[in-house]
Amino acid sequence: MIQRIQTIYLLLAFVVTGILPFLFPLWTMNNATDYFFVQNQIYVVLLGLSTTLSIISIISFKKRQLQFVIGRLNIILNLILLGLFVYRSLNLSGETVLVSEKGIGMFLPILAIVLLVLANKAIKKDEDLVKSVDRLR
């Protein structure tokens, strides 16, 4: 399980969606307070679902097709989350009354998407390898 490269990618995607949002703020307010994802319920739900899908995908390592589908769902979920962040950042452009600067937390879904795409690529490669060995039997 852990020796497969897609498990490493999925574990890193879990860290990106489950742990790093607590460390990196989405943006900084004018009064020098950081705005984290836990202050908006939609962000909490989407990041929680993404983290849960990563864990389920890691656990279902014996079912590669299910793992691949869960990875695709997780990519779509992170794209929705990224779209919400982009929409919010475009509405709060520049120095406004509330937001002083945008944080690195807004770019975490991009990193998660890259890791999930790499994991799905490795899962597909494993599935193709198993199918080619089955043809030889």
Side-chain angles (χ1 to χ4, degrees):
M1 177 178 112
I2 195 70
Q3 69 271 15
R4 296 168 56 206
I5 190 68
Q6 58 263 35
T7 307
I8 302 297
Y9 289 141
L10 290 169
L11 193 62
L12 288 174
F14 165 76
V15 169
V16 166
T17 59
I19 296 171
L20 292 183
F22 288 104
L23 303 176
F24 297 115
L26 296 176
W27 51 79
T28 305
M29 305 294 225
N30 261 350
N31 57 2
T33 59
D34 292 333
Y35 186 88
F36 287 93
F37 80 101
V38 293
Q39 294 170 335
N40 191 337
Q41 192 172 12
I42 294 172
Y43 299 153
V44 171
V45 169
L46 290 177
L47 280 168
L49 280 173
S50 179
T51 304
T52 305
L53 286 177
S54 294
I55 292 172
I56 291 171
S57 186
I58 290 171
I59 291 172
S60 64
F61 63 94
K62 289 186 180 181
K63 302 172 186 169
R64 285 178 298 278
Q65 288 292 1
L66 177 66
Q67 197 176 27
F68 188 77
V69 170
I70 291 172
R72 287 234 172 131
L73 288 173
N74 205 351
I75 289 171
I76 291 170
L77 190 65
N78 277 298
L79 282 172
I80 292 170
L81 188 64
L82 182 63
L84 287 174
F85 286 161
V86 167
Y87 175 75
R88 181 69 185 227
S89 71
L90 290 178
N91 281 345
L92 300 172
S93 61
E95 187 77 25
T96 63
V97 176
L98 295 177
V99 176
S100 177
E101 69 181 50
K102 294 161 185 71
I104 197 163
M106 295 183 92
F107 299 107
L108 290 177
I110 296 172
L111 183 59
I113 290 169
V114 168
L115 289 169
L116 291 167
V117 166
L118 289 172
N120 271 0
K121 193 174 180 181
I123 292 167
K124 180 76 171 140
K125 187 176 174 184
D126 274 1
E127 186 66 26
D128 291 343
L129 180 67
V130 168
K131 283 182 181 177
S132 72
V133 169
D134 283 345
R135 272 184 281 203
L136 293 176
R137 282 197 252 168

